């Protein structure tokens, strides 16, 4: 880096000194083994405790679990350096462990669960996997069919998962299940699943196009008993937990994509300096030189986008827009760069002797895993065209319509829409604070199979809801899904199960 | 044990070295600096001999930027650092040895560690010079080091063999590859290192009678020669080695 670049870099001296550690660790402990892991279609799990001992698996986690609790830029450094091992598969497995599968345990697990598992996760003694996708549901998370039926203080889990990274090695799964198959989003729950549970089996290790140094498996669950205390969050909150996790997961995807592109580009430049055709190094032909200028420019654009998304994410603001854009652009750039590099290598680009072939097949995953490019475009099109600010991934939601009922008309409609047969044994007082013009405070009480609605604050609520007029109307008229508004921070609810039971008991506003 | 490790900041071995306009020194713009790789063995070894009530002190002579390399050593696990600060590190190993020795006189150590050489100037001189100024025993190129009570047992590499020797404490060694596997600083180590004491003491260099007259690159190596392939090439290879290279 020259001086100007150093001055504009998001990394301080501590990040850079950590980078030196990462670089050496990768070049001494991982790079020499990566070809073997690629050939074996999986890594040697002894590398996990080695990474753990170096503190590389606990960067964001609290010290009480053996972590370092450092800002996300340290994680960025680690991702960038890990990419230099020369394959994308093993880094993906590591990222799944640290940034996709274990964060829900740390964020939503009970203290007991965290005390039990987090130290082993941070030390690399237990490997984790995130098990959401199923043969019949990938992009459509709410469409999963694996069930968890309550039996005393256990759930009985039945079903199957597929495409699960670390599937054959994992000791723990962060597992998405349906606790209420009659519901879509609100029927999803998340469990910590120990893979030594009787009834669990690894269906098969999947043969893939690339990312060979990472194992990917089909998993089967046959009457597996999971303690209820392994639940993450509350029953029915699984969808939110998964959505919450997606932002970080996608950011990791974007950063890794840029790091991988940079690496194969550097190797390609080296090759173009030494390979001769017609008496000259091929890098002297203008078409090649201009290709390099184009690649360098797009990589730089992608990097700045990933760093910008990181900045917004680190600041704690809603980063859905920036992260979705970065995931889309960086991952598409990553696959494009690998393709261009193969072209510069010519025939050797197609051969295993040179790194371009591996880069091409490894990067093909980028626009599919962790939310496809189509899904990113879906999210973004709703933001840029429909003017929705914070929507999270959801297929096929309709365009909003701006003329709608007033807030007081909606509250007036509630008792008529209440279906006591759908309310189960719900007995609760709800307080709604709706801000903005036309808003106000309402108290909704469900008692002995009846609903009473009054304007103002009355009985002590067991569930408080805060939102604004636009959001409330949009949710009630079906323009925004409640889970999206909730995830976007536009509605806050302190008793989610009660709120869900209430929503489930209301017929649609006509 | 109270251990002192003398550390040098050197250009990364991967750096492309340029000679500056004076022709007598390297041009240090764009140079990446690292802890001398042999000193990493020294730090790692010192840590294994520290024991529960001991301490590992890092002593370095160099410009202010050397604090970065000292922090790396602290991140590996050393307890405190002392930088003997000069504008430019001396090229005369005797100057280095004199400055280090005068600081060491105040430290009352049990064990003193050096790398067997700095990968920059390759003099292999500072360790033995310091030991003779301090009048303590030192063995160089050590590949195994054991301390029991007030006696150290040392295995060192010699041409074609090994030599085993004993020394009373306090004593010193210079470390050779093979002594241990150097520790990499862990992330928690890096964080803890920031809070460890690091003292900076400006020092004056004594006079030197050594003058660098000129620096130059070695001549380009002549291209290799392929005499053939497989077993058929052996007779020709032997002929070339005997008659042209004259090594057989
Ligand atoms: C190597 C690898 C590792 C993986 N690791 C894991 C893991 O560890 N854990 C896990 O849970 N999952 C994992 N996955 C699964 C991955 O997340 C899914 O493959 C991905 O989300 C896409 O889902 P799908 O494959 O079911 O495709 P589908 O959802 O069936 O999509 C097929 C096509 O339709 C498009 N599409 C879908 N919906 C829409 C829409 N609304 N609008 C426009 N286009 C749409 C998609 O973009 C895609 O082009 C992994 C996948 C791979 C290949």
């Amino acid at each position: 880096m020259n001086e100007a670049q150093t001055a504009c870099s998001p990394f301080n001296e501590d990040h850079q000194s950590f980078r030196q550690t990462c670089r050496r660790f990768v070049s001494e402990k991982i790079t020499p083994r990566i070809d073997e892991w690629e050939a074996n279609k999986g890594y040697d799990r002894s590398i996990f405790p080695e990474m753990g001992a170096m503190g590389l698996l606990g960067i964001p986690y609290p010290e009480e679990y053996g972590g370092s609790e450092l800002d996300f830029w340290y994680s960025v450094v680690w991702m960038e350096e890990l990419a230099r091992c020369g394959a994308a598969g093993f880094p993906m497995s590591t990222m799944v462990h640290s940034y996709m599968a274990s964060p829900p345990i740390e964020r939503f697990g009970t203290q007991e669960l965290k005390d039990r598992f987090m130290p082993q996760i941070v030390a690399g003694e237990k490997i984790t996997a995130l098990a959401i996708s199923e043969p019949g549901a990938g992009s459509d998370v709410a469409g999963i069919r694996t069930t968890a039926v309550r039996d005393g203080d256990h759930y009985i889990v039945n079903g199957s998962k597929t495409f699960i990274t670390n599937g054959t090695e994992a000791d723990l799964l962060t597992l998405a299940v349906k606790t209420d198959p009659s519901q879509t989003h609100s029927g999803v729950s998340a469990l910590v699943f120990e893979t030594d549970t009787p009834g669990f089996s690894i269906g098969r290790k999947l043969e893939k196009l690339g990312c060979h140094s990472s194992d990917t498996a089909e998993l089967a669950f046959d009457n597996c008993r999971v303690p209820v205390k392994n639940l993450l969050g509350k029953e029915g909150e699984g969808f939110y937990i998964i959505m919450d996790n997606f932002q970080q997961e996608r950011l990791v995807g974007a950063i890794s994509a840029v790091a991988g592109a940079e690496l194969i580009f550097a190797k390609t430049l080296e090759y173009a300096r030494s390979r001769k055709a017609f008496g000259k190094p091929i890098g002297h032909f203008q078409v090649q030189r201009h290709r390099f200028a184009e690649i360098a420019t797009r990589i730089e654009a992608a990097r700045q986008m990933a760093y910008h998304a990181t900045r917004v994410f680190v600041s704690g603001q809603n980063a859905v827009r920036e992260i979705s854009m970065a995931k889309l652009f960086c991952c598409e750039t990553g696959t494009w760069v690998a393709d261009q590099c193969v072209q510069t290598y010519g025939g050797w680009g197609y051969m295993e002797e040179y790194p371009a072939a591996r880069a091409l097949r490894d990067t093909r995953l980028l626009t599919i895993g962790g939310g496809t490019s189509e899904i990113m475009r879906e999210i973004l099109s709703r933001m840029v065209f429909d003017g929705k600010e914070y929507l999270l991934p959801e297929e096929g939601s309709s365009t909003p319509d701006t003329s709608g009922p007033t807030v007081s008309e909606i509250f007036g409609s509630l008792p008529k829409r209440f279906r006591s047969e759908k309310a189960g044994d719900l007995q609760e007082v709800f307080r709604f604070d709706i801000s903005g013009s036309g808003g106000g405070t309402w108290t909704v009480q469900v008692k002995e199979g009846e609903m009473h609605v009054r304007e103002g604050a009355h009985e002590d609520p067991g569930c408080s809801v805060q939102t604004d007029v636009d959001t409330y109307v949009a949710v009630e008229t079906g323009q925004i899904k409640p889970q999206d508004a909730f995830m976007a921070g536009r509605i806050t609810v302190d008793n989610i199960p009660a709120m869900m039971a209430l929503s489930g008991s209301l017929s649609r506003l006509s | 044990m109270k251990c002192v490790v003398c550390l040098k900041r050197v250009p990364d071995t991967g750096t492309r070295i340029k000679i500056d306009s004076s022709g007598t020194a390297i041009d240090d713009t764009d140079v990446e600096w690292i802890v001398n790789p042999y000193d990493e063995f020294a730090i790692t070894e010192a840590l294994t001999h520290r024991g529960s009530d001991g301490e590992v002190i890092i002593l370095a002579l160099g410009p202010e930027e050397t604090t970065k390399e000292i922090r790396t050593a602290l991140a590996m696990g050393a307890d405190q650092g002392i930088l003997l600060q000069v504008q430019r590190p001396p090229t005369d190993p005797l100057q280095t040895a004199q400055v280090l020795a005068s600081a060491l006189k105040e430290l009352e150590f049990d064990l003193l560690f050096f790398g067997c050489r700095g990968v920059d100037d390759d003099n292999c001189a500072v360790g033995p010079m310091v030991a003779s100024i301090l009048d303590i025993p030192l063995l160089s190129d050590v590949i195994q080091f054991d301390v029991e009570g007030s006696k150290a047992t040392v295995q060192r590499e010699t041409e074609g063999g090994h030599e085993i020797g004993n020394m009373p404490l306090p004593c010193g060694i210079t470390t050779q590859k093979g002594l241990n596997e150097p520790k990499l600083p862990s992330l928690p180590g890096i964080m803890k290192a920031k809070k460890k004491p690091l003292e900076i003491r400006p020092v004056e260099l004594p006079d030197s009678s050594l003058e660098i007259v000129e620096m130059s690159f070695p001549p380009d190596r002549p291209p290799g020669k392929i005499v053939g392939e497989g077993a058929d090439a052996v007779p020709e290879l032997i002929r070339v080695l005997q008659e042209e290279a004259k090594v057989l």
Side-chain angles (χ1 to χ4, degrees), chain A residues 92 96 100 129-141 161-167 174 208 210-211 214-216 246 249-250 365 367-376 378 382 394-396:
Chain A
M92 170 169 77
V96 164
M100 302 172 195
L130 180 66
I132 302 172
S133 303
E134 296 186 358
S139 305
D140 178 13
V141 174
K161 295 285 168 185
T162 194
F163 300 157
I164 306 308
T165 302
N166 294 343
T174 295
K208 305 192 290 290
C211 285
S214 162
D215 64 308
T216 311
F246 265 153
E249 179 172 343
R250 288 173 182 161
L365 175 64
T367 58
I368 300 170
T372 63
S373 280
E374 287 82 354
I375 294 295
M376 294 309 109
E378 239 343 87
R382 279 185 232 149
E394 203 58 52
E395 289 80 65

Side-chain angles (χ1 to χ4, degrees), chain A residues 202-216:
Chain A
I202 295 160
R204 73 196 160 104
K205 191 163 166 177
L206 298 164
E207 292 289 335
K208 305 192 290 290
L209 169 64
C211 285
H212 294 319
S213 46
S214 162
D215 64 308
T216 311

Side-chain angles (χ1 to χ4, degrees), chain A residues 248-265:
Chain A
Q248 174 160 303
E249 179 172 343
R250 288 173 182 161
L251 189 54
V252 170
I255 292 158
S256 306
V258 177
E262 197 150 11
L263 189 80
I264 188 60
F265 180 44

Side-chain angles (χ1 to χ4, degrees), chain A residues 44-67:
Chain A
D44 174 348
R45 63 178 291 146
S46 67
I47 189 67
F48 269 78
E50 287 188 59
M51 293 191 287
M54 292 296 296
L56 297 169
L57 302 178
I59 300 171
Y61 290 132
E63 284 178 25
E64 54 185 301
Y65 305 135

